[in-house]
Amino acid sequence: MMKTFNKKFAYWLFEDYKFTGHILGFYRIIYALVIIFVTGTIEFEVIAHAPSFFYNPNVSFASFFSAFPPFWVLRAISLSVIMLMVCLLFGYKTRLVSILIAILQVAGLSFFYAFGKINHNVAYWLIPFFMAFSGWGNYLSIDAKNKNGKQQAVSFWPVALVALSIGFMMFSAGFLKFAGGWLDIDSQAVKGQLFRNYSLEEKSNLLTDLLISINSNTFWEFSDYLIVLFEIAFLPAAFSSKIYRYFIFFAILFHIAVYLSFNISFALNPLMYLLFINRSVFDGILKKESINQINRFMNIRNFLIFLILFILLVIIPDYLLADSVKKLGLLPCLRGLFDIPGSIIQSIWWVICFIITMYAAWAGFKKHDAFEADAMKN
Amino acid sequence: MRQSHRKETLKAIVAGYIVFLFLQLMFRLFVQEPFPAIVYPSFAGPLGDQKYYIIKKPVFITYTSQHDTLHIGRNKVLAEYPGSFRGDMMSRITSILNAFSGQQVDYLKRNKKSFRLGNWQYTITRKLKPDKISDSDKVKFKKWLKNRLSNIAGDDVKQCRLAWYKVYYSKSESSKKVKKELTNSLTVKF
């Protein structure tokens, strides 16, 4: 029995989440592009001027200090992170860069959360940390070019660990809800939270009013149970890539529903989920011709041009706009320049995520049907 | 041989990682959430009872030099900070005001968690993070609060009362506000 378990565990860790090195490299590019252009990285320095009496960190790197660091330290961390993201985009010294991003993000965020509240933007540090060991810089990158086109090894156990970590995070959310009494038949906790969010946090979105007007206890209690069970089941699901894919599909729909009702946007999560959706999404993009084009683009000259343009178009305007921008990236910078409401960007982002998710599901079902048809013919 | 040895080592590390995941969750449950941690927010705790949703709302009641009284919500006072931080910041403000007045107003600090399933219930007590506030921070806080409230009020604020209300919303009547009850208040003179 132990032998079977050992074999299954080894299969899950080394084989179950396997795909191609090109997809891994392409994922790295998408990850860096989305952070550089869409979501941006957190500008840690916005907290530098907070009064010292608010400094009350949980157990973290920040708890070794007694006050918020000076502005220049936090600014240096923010700038380093975004510059390293550009290196990651081009796959330059990828492993070192990935680890540095993870360390700097954790250091910066631990000060950012020193008010006592921890947000859960784990994709900022979890993905670079684990993927550093996957060899995601060995394809479609400057690193690959430096190795004279020799095929480089890639590992998929870090992908399995990302799946496990996401599964565990969802499990923790479900478990803590259970601990908080969500399964009590009189709780209607979802509605309670929705209402608290609406009346205290003053947050609402398209579906908020409609949902608040629903008074059916059965509906709300069913929602409580459904959410707790879905989140708890995420952990065992991570041990099978096939089942996990379905959970990821529903997780994206779940986040969209949370955004439309609570106006809470876990905007970075789809970026983590992209590792696990149906691979056929990438098939249409990663044809031989486009792989060659990406490979040609990944060189030191383009890297330096991009870096200079990025400094001129994002870093300097961001510095000039200082007070109105809280994230460092192209879209956050444009938002600050033209005063675009954050809700518009968030909504566009979630529409894109929805389309990709639906396409992945459709491509998956289509592929499955084709496979069945072939099997029937044979 | 070397490859297989590497795989065995990795398997052991991953098994250790799984144990670590549960340990940090226990730490989150019994002590506090560390950072970094592999956990998501809980949105725990049903808010209210069978009949009502009960929301705790803080209000800064300010008294100006022109003898005006103004009610200011927490979102206005803490407008320059991210919305998700404001709950914990209010908790901190309450702790500091407690230190001024020698009272112990408890806000948002749920140190008990009850696992409930039907009639079965198990309660754990969580150790709370101690609130340490230095004397110099107390002075800085008073100055900061006076400036902040005076800026919002557009007048010199002489005194402030932080009042905590419990607001009751009906579960059966489309979340209609039913009553509002003062639970605690803390006063600071500038």
Side-chain angles (χ1 to χ4, degrees), chain B residues 93-109:
Chain B
I93 288 173
T94 309
S95 297
I96 302 172
L97 288 174
N98 274 333
F100 277 119
S101 64
Q103 290 187 53
Q104 270 309 312
V105 177
D106 191 21
Y107 167 68
L108 275 183
K109 290 184 173 170

Side-chain angles (χ1 to χ4, degrees), chain A residues 6 52-53 56 58-59 117 119-120 165 168 172 177 179-180 182 184 186 191-193 195 201 269, chain B residues 11 17 21 32-33 35 39-40 42-43 46-47 53 74 84 92 114 116 129 137 140 169 171 175:
Chain A
N6 208 7
S52 57
F53 48 80
N56 190 27
N58 286 8
V59 173
K117 171 73 172 73
N119 289 342
H120 298 82
S165 304
F168 191 85
S172 70
K177 284 183 179 79
W182 272 48
D184 191 322
D186 296 320
K191 188 170 182 188
Q193 292 294 339
F195 198 66
E201 312 285 347
N269 284 28
Chain B
K11 271 157 68 180
Y17 179 63
L21 288 175
Q32 58 176 247
E33 184 174 343
F35 180 80
V39 290
Y40 266 156
S42 59
F43 298 100
L47 307 150
Y53 295 114
R74 67 158 213 197
S84 59
R92 184 73 175 157
S114 291
R116 285 196 298 272
K129 188 164 63 177
D137 272 350
K140 279 185 203 164
Y169 297 90
K171 277 190 174 178
S175 313

Side-chain angles (χ1 to χ4, degrees), chain B residues 4-190:
Chain B
S4 130
H5 182 69
R6 189 174 168 262
K7 280 192 171 180
E8 287 307 311
T9 311
L10 271 171
K11 271 157 68 180
I13 291 171
V14 172
Y17 179 63
I18 294 173
V19 174
F20 163 77
L21 288 175
F22 282 96
L23 287 178
Q24 48 114 47
L25 178 62
M26 289 301 115
F27 191 80
R28 156 76 178 79
L29 197 60
F30 288 98
V31 188
Q32 58 176 247
E33 184 174 343
F35 180 80
I38 310 289
V39 290
Y40 266 156
S42 59
F43 298 100
L47 307 150
D49 52 28
Q50 281 176 298
K51 281 187 173 173
Y52 305 109
Y53 295 114
I54 305 167
I55 313 284
K56 286 182 191 172
K57 279 190 180 178
V59 176
F60 291 88
I61 304 167
T62 58
Y63 306 93
T64 69
S65 55
Q66 303 292 318
H67 303 289
D68 286 333
T69 308
L70 203 65
H71 288 230
I72 305 169
R74 67 158 213 197
N75 290 339
K76 231 175 194 170
V77 176
L78 301 172
E80 62 184 298
Y81 300 100
S84 59
F85 289 4
R86 291 176 197 157
D88 285 73
M89 292 176 85
M90 276 314 299
S91 173
R92 184 73 175 157
I93 288 173
T94 309
S95 297
I96 302 172
L97 288 174
N98 274 333
F100 277 119
S101 64
Q103 290 187 53
Q104 270 309 312
V105 177
D106 191 21
Y107 167 68
L108 275 183
K109 290 184 173 170
R110 290 182 288 263
N111 64 338
K112 282 197 186 335
K113 267 193 193 297
S114 291
F115 294 75
R116 285 196 298 272
L117 199 57
N119 292 328
W120 177 80
Q121 181 168 327
Y122 178 72
T123 305
I124 58 163
T125 306
R126 188 179 181 191
K127 198 181 157 208
L128 288 175
K129 188 164 63 177
D131 279 314
K132 291 178 204 149
I133 296 132
S134 66
D135 287 340
S136 67
D137 272 350
K138 280 186 199 168
V139 175
K140 279 185 203 164
F141 170 77
K142 228 175 177 178
K143 201 176 159 192
W144 171 83
L145 189 62
K146 181 181 164 69
N147 283 343
R148 188 76 198 115
L149 296 174
S150 297
N151 279 342
I152 297 168
D155 193 3
D156 188 32
V157 170
K158 293 286 177 199
Q159 188 178 318
C160 160
R161 190 157 73 96
L162 173 61
W164 284 100
Y165 291 99
K166 267 186 181 175
V167 188
Y168 291 75
Y169 297 90
S170 166
K171 277 190 174 178
S172 55
E173 294 171 73
S174 295
S175 313
K176 195 176 134 194
K177 192 168 164 182
V178 179
K179 58 178 175 176
K180 185 174 157 184
E181 170 177 285
L182 178 70
T183 54
N184 288 103
S185 75
L186 293 158
T187 304
V188 59
K189 284 182 182 168
F190 299 117

Side-chain angles (χ1 to χ4, degrees), chain A residues 71-89:
Chain A
F71 178 88
W72 66 267
V73 172
L74 295 168
R75 181 81 185 157
I77 298 176
S78 303
L79 285 177
S80 307
V81 168
I82 199 78
M83 292 300 188
L84 288 168
M85 279 292 172
V86 178
C87 297
L88 187 69
L89 172 67

